[in-house]
């Protein structure tokens, strides 16, 4: 099993750990301290050593920030986690605050009216974040102070840092050699008169060097740093045990493997104009470069955009991964449909069985994130993760929301299906159909090249809006190629400003959540491609090709709410699913799929 259901945090630890942190603050003569959900690489997933926010507060979500003063503490979470945080955090110790509606700077100004010194670990915050926060606080005589991590001082049994082996990623799956990638990025540095780029994002480094790792769960990357020179040479900073001779030979003579501890000295040795990503690089990096006399040039990590635009080999890999994963999903859905109505299953049973179906492919490297499996009211918790304490029975007459994904060497998958358990709850049919209309609308949408996610996000919400409904998360996120299931810079949301380009893979996942009752989400992955129509258009247009292959539960659909074009799309999609997956299924599962994909 990849997923672990042990509950690792409880609200009752908040008070003593908060007290220990405040003792460390007093010793450091600080009036406050920032505790982000981050490591030095600013990734969504962090190793156990860096789970400081969870250790302090009990909150285990993938995004959040605790702000602690000597007598108050607040935790900021976004719309995905507003139900989860209530269950995990002691509200007597921490005030739960809504981000981005409520901002840390405003809260600090309110709670430190006389000013004060706020400490932060410069390894765990980007320069853009600290600059924005510092400007807002400075107007009120509140200063930000770089300091050692005070949580680490209080966390006596903190786990050690990871150092898993680094392995080559096949060029046939990447579609481009590392030499080609490095040459392209180096040309961009030369064009901007930059001597080097400091790379701190593990997935960027993994993409650039065609390597993968195992330092964090769910994302096959090594937690390393790198410096790329304008001469296309790279220095990779890693633990020596991570890189065997075979890997060094694969990397070639233009890639030097250095000790992780040599990173600081290498920054000190850089001169001239050096590219640093203001949003993602820890402020420690720019501080070090500036102190050494280099000119820091703020620029987006140069690997982010080319990594997001998948090669034809990566797109073919994604199709292969979704074909394999689709067969596993159908076997799972057929099993669930047969067994769940009799009762006796719990959420953990469902998650473990789904993982077993994927493992049976013989190709599963990991799950791409901890499965979200919410029965009944738990489905309304957008990023719910079942544990031994929360495990709920899958009861007949309720909805079950299952959001899951897999890591195969060919690609990364992410799929959500919502199904009824036995009798269909009548009150769920209309919202389910409205969510489906949103999925279909965006999947069919064409748009002029140059538009971004924010320009088409509303297409997926329109049917819900007309009914006075909405959801509090983005419609879709970028997805990596055997990398992170959440990948930028592209996304489908009101914040999505990066133009969508051919080859980008994204999720399309509208939803609806009724607190205390059920959650609904239907999710497919898509890749941006030139559309088949219109043939006689006057402008360059783009559209989506759907990658995910799995039936959408027809029992929850009100056909009367679907337009003829929407019915046609669904029927064609189901026909494609049936044709693609049937050869990979046993006879009984194939019969189930044929019924599930029958035309509406």
């Amino acid at each position: 099993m990849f997923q672990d259901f042990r509950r690792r945090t409880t609200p009752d630890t908040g008070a003593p750990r908060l007290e220990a942190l405040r003792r460390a603050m007093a010793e450091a003569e600080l009036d406050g301290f920032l505790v982000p959900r981050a490591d030095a690489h600013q990734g969504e997933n962090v190793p156990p050593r860096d789970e400081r926010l969870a250790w302090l507060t009990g909150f285990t979500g993938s995004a959040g920030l605790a702000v602690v003063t000597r007598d108050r503490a607040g935790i900021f979470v976004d719309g995905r986690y507003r139900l989860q945080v209530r269950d995990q955090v002691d509200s007597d110790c921490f005030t739960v605050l809504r981000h981005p509606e409520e901002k840390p700077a405003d809260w600090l100004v309110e709670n430190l009216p006389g000013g004060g010194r706020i400490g932060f670990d410069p390894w765990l915050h980007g320069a853009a974040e600290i600059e924005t926060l510092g400007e807002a606080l400075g107007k009120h005589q509140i200063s930000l102070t770089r300091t050692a991590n005070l949580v680490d001082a209080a966390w006596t049994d903190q786990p050690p840092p990871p150092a898993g082996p680094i392995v080559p990623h096949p060029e046939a799956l990447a579609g481009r050699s590392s030499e080609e990638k490095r040459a392209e990025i180096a040309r961009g540095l030369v064009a901007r008169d930059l001597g080097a780029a400091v790379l701190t994002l593990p997935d960027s480094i993994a993409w650039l060097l065609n390597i993968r790792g195992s330092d964090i769960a769910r994302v096959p990357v090594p937690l390393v740093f790198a410096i790329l020179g304008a001469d296309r040479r790279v220095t990779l900073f890693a633990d020596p045990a991570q890189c065997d001779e075979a890997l060094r030979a694969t990397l070639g003579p233009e890639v030097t493997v250095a000790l992780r501890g040599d990173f600081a000295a290498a920054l000190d040795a850089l001169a001239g104009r050096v590219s640093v990503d203001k949003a993602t690089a820890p402020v420690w990096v720019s501080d070090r470069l500036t102190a050494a006399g280099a000119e820091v040039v703020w620029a987006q990590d140069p690997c982010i955009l080319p990594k997001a635009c998948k090669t034809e080999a990566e797109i073919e890999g994604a199709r292969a991964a979704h074909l394999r994963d689709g067969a596993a999903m159908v076997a799972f859905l057929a099993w669930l449909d047969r067994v769940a109505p009799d009762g006796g299953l719990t959420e953990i049973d469902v998650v473990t069985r789904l993982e077993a179906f994927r493992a049976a492919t013989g190709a599963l490297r990991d799950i791409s994130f901890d499965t979200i499996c919410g029965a009944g009211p738990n489905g309304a918790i957008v990023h719910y993760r079942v544990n031994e304490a929360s495990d709920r029975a899958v009861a007949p007459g309720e909805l079950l929301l299952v959001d899951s994904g897999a890591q195969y060497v060919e690609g990364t998958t992410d799929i959500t299906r919502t199904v009824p358990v036995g009798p269909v709850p009548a009150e769920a049919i209309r919202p389910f159909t409205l969510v489906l209309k949103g999925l279909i609308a965006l999947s069919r949408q064409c748009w002029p090249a140059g538009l971004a996610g924010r320009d088409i996000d509303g297409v997926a919400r329109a049917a819900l809006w007309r009914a006075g409904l909405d959801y509090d998360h983005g419609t879709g996120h970028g997805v990596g190629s055997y990398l992170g299931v959440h990948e930028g810079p592209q996304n489908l949301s009101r914040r999505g400003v990066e133009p969508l380009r051919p080859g980008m893979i994204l999720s399309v996942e509208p939803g609806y959540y009724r607190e205390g009752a059920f959650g609904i989400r239907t999710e497919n992955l898509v890749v941006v491609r030139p559309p088949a129509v219109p043939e006689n258009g006057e402008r360059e247009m783009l559209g989506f090709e759907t990658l995910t292959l799995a039936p959408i539960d027809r029992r929850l659909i009100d056909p009367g709410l679907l337009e003829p074009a929407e019915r046609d799309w669904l029927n064609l999609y189901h026909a494609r699913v049936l044709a693609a997956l049937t050869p990979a299924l046993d006879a009984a599962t194939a019969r189930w799929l044929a019924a599930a994909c029958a035309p509406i």
Side-chain angles (χ1 to χ4, degrees):
M1 282 299 300
F2 288 110
Q3 191 154 334
D4 184 347
F5 303 102
R6 289 174 293 176
R7 183 167 187 172
R8 300 187 179 276
T9 67
T10 56
D12 59 282
T13 62
R17 291 176 179 179
L18 197 56
E19 182 181 351
L21 174 59
R22 283 175 170 145
R23 285 197 298 269
M25 287 165 48
E27 292 174 6
E29 298 181 341
L30 293 170
D31 301 291
F33 190 71
L34 307 180
V35 184
R37 173 50 157 77
D39 63 6
H41 305 276
Q42 296 295 305
E44 179 183 23
N45 293 60
V46 300
R49 179 180 181 81
D50 291 290
E51 291 178 343
R52 297 177 181 88
L53 184 64
W55 179 85
L56 178 67
T57 68
F59 173 66
T60 61
S62 64
L65 171 71
V67 182
V68 179
T69 69
R70 295 195 179 192
D71 57 1
R72 295 189 181 182
I75 180 168
F76 293 81
V77 298
D78 63 37
R80 296 170 293 172
Y81 297 114
R82 286 168 188 162
L83 296 181
Q84 177 180 334
V85 73
R86 296 181 200 169
D87 176 61
Q88 293 186 319
V89 172
D90 183 351
S91 59
D92 291 333
C93 295
F94 296 91
T95 300
V96 175
L97 299 147
R98 299 164 62 91
H99 184 77
E101 297 89 342
E102 298 174 283
K103 294 179 170 52
D106 295 338
W107 188 85
L108 280 167
V109 168
E110 179 182 345
N111 287 281
L112 291 174
R117 297 173 68 241
I118 307 300
F120 72 94
D121 182 342
W123 278 105
L124 303 185
H125 300 266
E129 175 195 358
I130 292 304
E131 179 181 293
T132 301
L133 184 59
E135 289 175 355
L137 295 178
K139 300 172 185 177
H140 301 274
Q141 292 73 53
I142 300 174
S143 63
L144 290 174
T145 301
R146 292 154 173 79
T147 182
N149 198 290
L150 302 186
V151 171
D152 293 357
W155 190 355
T156 57
D157 57 348
Q158 187 177 23
I166 301 173
V167 298
H169 183 61
E171 186 179 320
L173 293 176
R176 299 176 69 193
S177 69
S178 174
E179 290 84 356
E180 291 176 285
K181 296 176 183 179
R182 287 186 279 111
E184 177 190 327
I185 303 299
R187 285 193 295 270
L189 297 180
V190 171
R192 298 190 58 198
D193 191 28
L194 294 164
V198 179
L199 305 178
T200 64
L201 296 177
D203 59 334
S204 287
I205 300 167
W207 172 85
L208 180 67
L209 299 180
N210 284 346
I211 57 176
R212 297 297 186 265
S214 57
D215 281 348
I216 49 177
R218 318 297 174 245
V219 186
V221 296
L223 294 180
V224 292
F225 297 100
I227 298 174
L228 169 65
D231 59 358
R232 79 182 193 181
R233 292 179 176 274
V234 169
T235 304
L236 175 67
F237 299 91
D239 187 301
Q242 295 180 276
C243 307
D244 62 19
E245 290 304 317
L247 175 73
R248 292 170 190 259
T250 301
L251 291 173
E254 292 185 335
V255 178
T256 301
V257 179
L259 296 175
R260 192 187 304 269
D262 292 340
F263 185 45
L267 294 179
D268 293 343
L270 291 178
R273 290 162 51 85
V274 179
S275 173
V276 179
D277 192 324
K278 194 173 188 178
T280 63
V283 70
W284 181 91
V285 169
S286 50
D287 283 352
R288 191 91 189 193
L289 288 167
T290 300
E295 180 185 351
V296 173
V297 178
W298 300 122
Q300 185 182 65
D301 179 318
C303 300
I304 285 180
L305 189 55
K307 172 170 58 69
C309 298
K310 308 297 185 287
T311 64
E312 287 302 315
E314 289 173 321
I315 293 170
E316 280 302 314
R319 293 190 185 111
H322 280 87
L323 185 64
R324 179 188 299 117
D325 202 56
M329 278 297 302
V330 167
F332 161 74
L333 290 169
W335 166 82
L336 187 67
D337 198 36
R338 183 179 70 252
V339 173
D342 294 334
L345 290 180
T346 70
E347 293 164 335
I348 289 179
D349 295 331
V350 172
V351 174
T352 55
R353 193 56 184 261
L354 174 54
E355 189 173 311
F357 280 114
R358 285 189 164 120
T361 66
L364 181 68
R365 298 299 183 91
D366 198 345
I367 53 178
S368 56
F369 56 96
D370 284 350
T371 298
I372 299 167
C373 177
N378 284 348
I381 304 172
V382 178
H383 274 203
Y384 170 71
R385 300 293 197 278
V386 61
N387 58 56
E388 292 170 339
S390 71
D391 191 21
R392 189 177 189 277
V394 177
E398 294 185 338
L399 292 189
L400 180 68
L401 185 155
V402 182
D403 185 348
S404 67
Q407 293 282 12
Y408 305 104
V409 70
E410 298 93 344
T412 302
T413 71
D414 183 0
I415 175 175
T416 308
R417 290 296 185 262
T418 306
V419 300
V421 179
V424 178
E427 67 274 16
I429 292 175
R430 182 169 180 264
F432 182 93
T433 308
L434 296 178
V435 167
L436 174 61
K437 285 168 73 71
L439 173 82
I440 294 172
L442 194 49
S443 300
R444 297 177 62 231
Q445 186 67 45
C446 299
W447 65 90
L451 296 191
R454 67 181 178 187
D455 301 313
I456 61 173
D457 172 75
V459 172
R461 301 176 188 266
L464 287 162
W465 283 350
R466 285 192 292 269
L469 307 175
D470 201 1
Y471 47 94
D472 290 331
H473 55 77
T475 297
H477 53 81
V479 178
S481 181
Y482 189 44
L483 285 170
V485 74
H486 290 163
E487 177 182 84
Q490 74 277 24
N491 67 71
L492 298 167
S493 76
R494 298 179 180 100
R495 300 185 301 276
V497 297
E498 183 67 40
L500 301 177
R501 293 173 171 83
M504 288 180 168
I505 295 177
L506 302 103
S507 66
V508 176
E509 48 182 310
Y512 170 72
Y513 310 92
R514 185 173 296 173
E515 185 175 349
F518 56 77
I520 295 167
R521 186 161 64 251
T522 303
E523 175 188 18
N524 286 343
L525 296 194
V526 297
V527 58
V528 179
R529 308 289 273 177
V533 292
E535 296 179 0
N536 300 316
E538 298 179 353
R539 298 189 180 187
E540 179 188 358
M541 304 293 286
L542 295 174
F544 290 131
E545 170 196 334
T546 297
L547 297 171
T548 302
L549 297 167
I552 296 167
D553 204 297
R554 295 163 62 255
R555 295 167 294 184
L556 283 164
I557 300 171
D558 179 353
L561 294 177
L562 297 180
E563 300 294 331
E566 294 169 333
R567 294 192 194 193
D568 290 345
W569 183 94
L570 183 63
N571 287 337
L572 286 171
Y573 174 70
H574 276 156
R576 178 183 161 217
V577 168
L578 182 63
L581 298 183
T582 296
L585 305 175
D586 61 50
T589 305
R591 287 193 296 272
W592 180 92
L593 180 61
C597 290
I600 288 183

